[in-house]
Amino acid sequence: MVDRLANSEANTRRISIVESCFGAAGQPLTIPGRVLIGEGVLTKLCRKKPKARQFFLFNDILVYGNIVIQKKKYNKQHIIPLENVTIDSIKDEGELRNGWLIKTPTKSFAVYAATATEKSEWMNHINKCVSDLLSKSGKTPSNEHAAVWVPDSEATVCMRCQKAKFTPVNRRHHCRKCGFVVCGPCSEKRFLLPSQSSKPVRICDFCYDLLSTGDMAACQPTRSDSYSQSLKSPLNDASDDDDDDDSSD
């Protein structure tokens, strides 16, 4: 069915509409063989609080952006190649329900659908697209993924030293390897993670010591996928226009 839709006028028109909604700041999305599978609003768990984002699933990429005017204008376009994507379901917890993790070597994050049916449809379609891509390319599924960042609101003290309290002066930082919220003194070091950046990135002392000895796998967090605190006590200093999990800290 996807192959049949690839060259249809309806598909070309739908993709053109998505391009126009992102405007000149967005990347061109129309290429031969690309099909728009579906679209919808999902709640993305950002660094400071959950935010509504518009998502578009194509047969080879996942695109999302900030909603400026629903169905008319979006900005801050993000494009994720599906062949690098793996997804994992998240158990329902409190107000956060119908969620799953979208994991890639560059960036990983949690999203939530409005209903269980919607979640199932999104996950099934994403898995089908990834499976088809890997089957055609002969590649194997990616076993490397960036850590999912712990939301700021889940940590009132440094998750490594367990002592430093966060204040407007003593800011929160995120380790790029484990995703923990840490204080400045616990994350002064930098390490090159090629899948995430061409330059050395901030990591905590714990991960730095492990990476320096070659123990890459041990840096991955073992915490459960619990995000409930981000809805119970959201911070109000985040702009709804900012995808603030992309910030430098």
Side-chain angles (χ1 to χ4, degrees):
M1 180 179 177
V2 169
D3 292 336
R4 190 167 68 249
L5 289 172
N7 298 314
S8 71
E9 289 185 14
N11 177 65
T12 301
R13 187 166 57 252
R14 290 176 69 201
I15 295 178
S16 177
I17 291 172
V18 176
E19 284 183 333
S20 66
C21 286
F22 279 105
Q27 295 294 315
L29 299 173
T30 302
I31 64 169
R34 176 168 289 164
V35 175
L36 178 57
I37 306 297
E39 62 183 271
V41 176
L42 298 174
T43 297
K44 179 176 178 290
L45 195 60
C46 297
R47 175 179 176 177
K48 294 186 182 296
K49 61 181 179 180
K51 299 178 182 180
R53 294 288 183 256
Q54 182 72 29
F55 280 78
F56 300 92
L57 177 64
F58 297 82
N59 59 331
D60 62 334
I61 58 174
L62 182 66
V63 177
Y64 70 91
N66 294 12
I67 301 169
V68 180
I69 303 175
Q70 183 61 50
K71 296 186 179 300
K72 291 185 178 181
K73 186 178 181 181
Y74 311 111
N75 64 13
K76 298 197 174 182
Q77 182 191 72
H78 297 260
I79 299 177
I80 302 174
L82 281 179
E83 67 178 10
N84 297 326
V85 168
T86 56
I87 58 176
D88 289 326
S89 181
I90 301 173
K91 65 181 181 180
D92 291 344
E93 192 168 337
E95 295 179 50
L96 286 167
R97 307 178 67 82
N98 312 313
W100 67 98
L101 297 177
I102 296 175
K103 303 187 294 184
T104 79
T106 304
K107 181 177 182 178
S108 302
F109 53 90
V111 292
Y112 296 85
T115 66
T117 299
E118 211 177 304
K119 169 186 174 178
S120 176
E121 290 176 348
W122 271 102
M123 293 189 70
N124 288 339
H125 284 307
I126 291 172
N127 277 327
K128 178 66 165 57
C129 290
V130 173
S131 176
D132 289 347
L133 279 173
L134 294 176
S135 177
K136 289 179 181 179
S137 67
K139 296 180 180 179
T140 56
S142 175
N143 58 6
E144 179 186 4
H145 62 83
V148 179
W149 283 20
V150 177
D152 282 5
S153 55
E154 282 198 16
T156 57
V157 299
C158 175
M159 297 178 71
R160 286 304 182 194
C161 70
Q162 299 289 319
K163 296 177 181 178
K165 292 185 178 181
F166 296 121
T167 67
V169 176
N170 187 29
R171 298 175 55 218
R172 292 170 172 82
H173 303 278
H174 277 82
C175 172
R176 297 306 194 273
K177 185 60 182 174
C178 67
F180 278 13
V181 184
V182 291
C183 64
C186 283
S187 59
E188 292 179 340
K189 296 182 175 66
R190 300 289 191 275
F191 199 92
L192 182 63
L193 301 176
S195 62
Q196 296 189 39
S197 175
S198 60
K199 299 179 181 179
V201 293
R202 181 189 294 271
I203 61 173
C204 67
D205 291 348
F206 177 81
C207 287
Y208 182 85
D209 291 341
L210 291 173
L211 290 168
S212 297
T213 59
D215 193 358
M216 304 284 283
C219 294
Q220 294 292 2
T222 56
R223 64 187 288 273
S224 63
D225 294 310
S226 169
Y227 304 101
S228 59
Q229 290 302 315
S230 63
L231 275 183
K232 292 177 182 177
S233 56
L235 300 182
N236 295 321
D237 57 348
S239 166
D240 286 338
D241 294 331
D242 292 333
D243 206 337
D244 44 36
D245 52 346
D246 292 325
S247 67
S248 59
D249 291 319

